[in-house]
Amino acid sequence: MPSSTIKLNSGYEMPLVGFGLWKVNNDTCADTVYNAIKAGYRLFDGACDYGNEVESGQGVARAIKDGLVKRSDLFLVSKLWNSFHDGPRVEPICKKQLKDWGIDYFDLYIMHFPISLKYVDPSVRYPPGFTDENGKVTPGKASIQETWTAMEKLVDNGLCKSIGVSNFRGVLLMDLLRYAKIRPATLQIEHHPYLVQEGLVKYAQDEGIAVTAYSSFGPQSFLELDMQQAKDAPLLLEHPTVKKIAESHKKTPAQVLLRWATQRGVAVIPKSNNKDRLAQNLDVLGFELEGKEIEEISGIDKGLRFNDPLNVSYYTR
């Protein structure tokens, strides 16, 4: 069986398949995390903006208390939100997030977007979202370099083992690599057959930066946001090409979509509350797609991006 981890440029091993915590409800989050650990998941991808870090940490703490895992068995990920990009804000908010999780360090801490927004004090609103205290989207003044330099200090101070970026295009990644003393260990991007981003994936991997895909099922993740673009796009899980390949391998369409990514060295972070799908999503390394099948799936590409900050109205309701 292929390796179940990716060796990061920071020297650490990261699971190839993890569990994403975006849109996991607060009232079920602790149980969801606990059950996912019980099912075999070891990587959990969280964020300040998801608003469920306290509950995620409760699920982790219960699993450790019950002897299911040790902290060292887990790979816990969180993200720096846009309104905390000013250099002096980075370490305090990271420490708050660690406290919310109830842990001493993050295995990976990611810059969520290459966007600086006006600071909102956590006592005013947390998580702050895209708007300031007056309900307006107000740009901040921090450069990516200022923010990244502050994130590098998190590694030096033992608050996280690796640092990475998310939602970066190629030119921003190139610029970051000019001045980074600690290179980003990972690049997390929207990645599915409607948005393959082949050039960006290749560039990152050639630079020794591991790529993680979110929204592996395409429009599926965005339907509950009432996004018209997602409603208009045919579901990838029902796409004839995906279904045909799934039938030939006796796998589900979801497993084929995840294997399309992992077989190309791209990590995935699906989520599910269903016990059977939890197991199925984790079991995507035990079969191989043929080269022509990977090409067929990649050929579905439409350059269709759902998670675009310019569509900020979907995130400020």
Side-chain angles (χ1 to χ4, degrees), residues 49 72 193 216 276 299:
D49 190 53
S72 57
S216 294
D276 291 337

Side-chain angles (χ1 to χ4, degrees), residues 113-114 144 165-176 187-190 195 197 199-201 203-204 214 303 305-310:
F113 284 96
I144 292 174
V165 294
S166 180
N167 298 304
F168 272 51
R169 308 289 177 92
V171 291
L172 285 179
L173 201 54
M174 289 178 188
D175 187 58
L176 173 59
L187 167 66
Q188 188 174 123
I189 55 172
E190 181 180 345
L195 186 66
Q197 304 195 80
L200 177 57
V201 171
Y203 173 71
Y214 68 77
R305 184 184 305 277
F306 299 103
N307 189 20
D308 188 341
L310 294 178

Side-chain angles (χ1 to χ4, degrees), residues 58-186:
Q58 290 170 349
V60 166
R62 190 177 2 140
I64 292 174
K65 182 181 178 182
D66 289 354
L68 298 182
V69 288
K70 299 175 183 176
R71 168 65 184 92
S72 57
D73 297 328
L74 299 173
F75 194 100
L76 302 180
V77 183
S78 191
K79 304 181 187 73
L80 175 74
W81 185 242
N82 308 337
S83 50
F84 304 109
H85 275 213
D86 295 326
R89 306 286 188 193
V90 172
E91 184 168 317
I93 198 62
C94 180
K95 286 181 174 178
K96 171 180 167 41
Q97 291 175 259
L98 287 168
K99 184 178 179 182
D100 286 348
W101 275 88
I103 58 178
D104 298 324
Y105 66 90
F106 288 120
D107 293 277
L108 175 64
Y109 195 60
I110 295 172
M111 190 186 305
H112 204 147
F113 284 96
I115 299 170
S116 173
L117 294 177
K118 182 183 176 183
Y119 174 71
V120 176
D121 191 283
S123 66
V124 174
R125 187 176 68 246
Y126 191 85
F130 273 91
T131 58
D132 62 20
E133 65 275 12
N134 298 314
K136 296 181 179 179
V137 179
T138 306
K141 296 182 178 179
S143 66
I144 292 174
Q145 184 170 3
E146 177 184 346
T147 306
W148 187 255
T149 299
M151 290 179 67
E152 290 174 327
K153 292 177 183 176
L154 300 178
V155 178
D156 295 337
N157 294 336
L159 298 177
C160 47
K161 292 185 175 181
S162 303
I163 50 178
V165 294
S166 180
N167 298 304
F168 272 51
R169 308 289 177 92
V171 291
L172 285 179
L173 201 54
M174 289 178 188
D175 187 58
L176 173 59
L177 292 176
R178 288 188 309 107
Y179 53 77
K181 294 179 181 177
I182 298 177
R183 291 167 69 88
T186 67

